[in-house]
Amino acid sequence: MSNKVVQAMYNDDDILMDAVKEVRAANHHIEEVYTPFPVHGLDKAMGLKGTRIAITAFMYGCVGFSFAVWMMNYMMIEQWPQDIGGKPSFTFFQNMPAFVPIMFEMSVFFAAHLMVITFYMRSKLWPFKQAENPDPRTTDDMFVMEVAVEGDEAELVSFLEKTGTVEIKVTEK
């Protein structure tokens, strides 16, 4: 099995959207689409699944909340109880209203930072990683759709030429 892809370049996002729909309707596999800016509806047109990052954000927030509760209970109740303003620190629940801002901030802190780390790991974006951009013009004004070659390459190229492409390249991936 070869790793050949056809890179079809477009100069308009509307033409790209129509081409993606045509390619999907013809049952060709779209490897990737590179755009200089986010194109609304492109993910649905490509048939991509929805993200689950919101679920992980909630779980990370719960971890932050639990850590904040444990940290405040340990520091303010068990380890170093203090009588501040005549309010003794007998139990965590008696002092919980004063701890609400800290619990909220730790939940947000954990959720935000762990979501960023999760996004980078899931996207395989490591420090000093080389860009996978197939053509530098896609950062300026061009759109590239990579379609996997499965079967007749010439037939796929002629099909993509009918979708309004400006330039076509066949490369090994």
Side-chain angles (χ1 to χ4, degrees), residues 31-111:
E31 290 284 329
E32 188 66 68
V33 176
Y34 298 91
T35 64
F37 54 84
V39 178
H40 180 69
L42 184 61
D43 53 342
K44 286 188 177 61
M46 288 178 62
L48 299 177
K49 295 178 185 175
T51 181
R52 296 183 303 259
I53 194 98
I55 297 167
T56 59
F58 177 74
M59 290 189 309
Y60 294 153
C62 290
V63 168
F65 178 81
S66 301
F67 180 78
V69 167
W70 171 81
M71 178 186 72
M72 289 180 301
N73 184 54
Y74 179 74
M75 288 191 305
M76 300 298 288
I77 306 301
E78 294 175 14
Q79 180 69 22
W80 194 269
Q82 296 179 10
D83 187 359
I84 300 172
K87 298 177 184 171
S89 298
F90 292 131
T91 65
F92 177 78
F93 294 106
Q94 287 177 334
N95 295 310
M96 194 166 54
F99 297 155
V100 167
I102 299 168
M103 291 185 287
F104 172 76
E105 290 297 330
M106 290 299 281
S107 299
V108 171
F109 179 84
F110 271 68

Side-chain angles (χ1 to χ4, degrees), residues 116-137:
V116 168
I117 292 169
T118 301
F119 173 75
Y120 283 147
M121 290 175 65
R122 181 76 176 109
S123 301
K124 297 182 178 93
L125 293 174
W126 313 113
F128 311 111
K129 181 178 189 259
Q130 295 295 319
E132 295 177 5
N133 197 359
D135 195 305
R137 293 179 287 177

Side-chain angles (χ1 to χ4, degrees), residues 156-172:
L156 179 60
V157 169
S158 66
F159 172 74
L160 289 173
E161 285 174 349
K162 296 174 188 169
T163 62
T165 184
V166 176
E167 181 182 326
I168 292 182
K169 289 190 287 188
V170 179
T171 59
E172 288 284 332

Side-chain angles (χ1 to χ4, degrees), residues 12-29:
D12 186 46
D13 58 336
D14 294 328
I15 297 172
L16 172 74
M17 284 293 289
D18 294 337
V20 166
K21 291 173 185 172
E22 288 179 38
V23 169
R24 291 255 311 150
N27 292 325
H28 293 290
H29 177 67

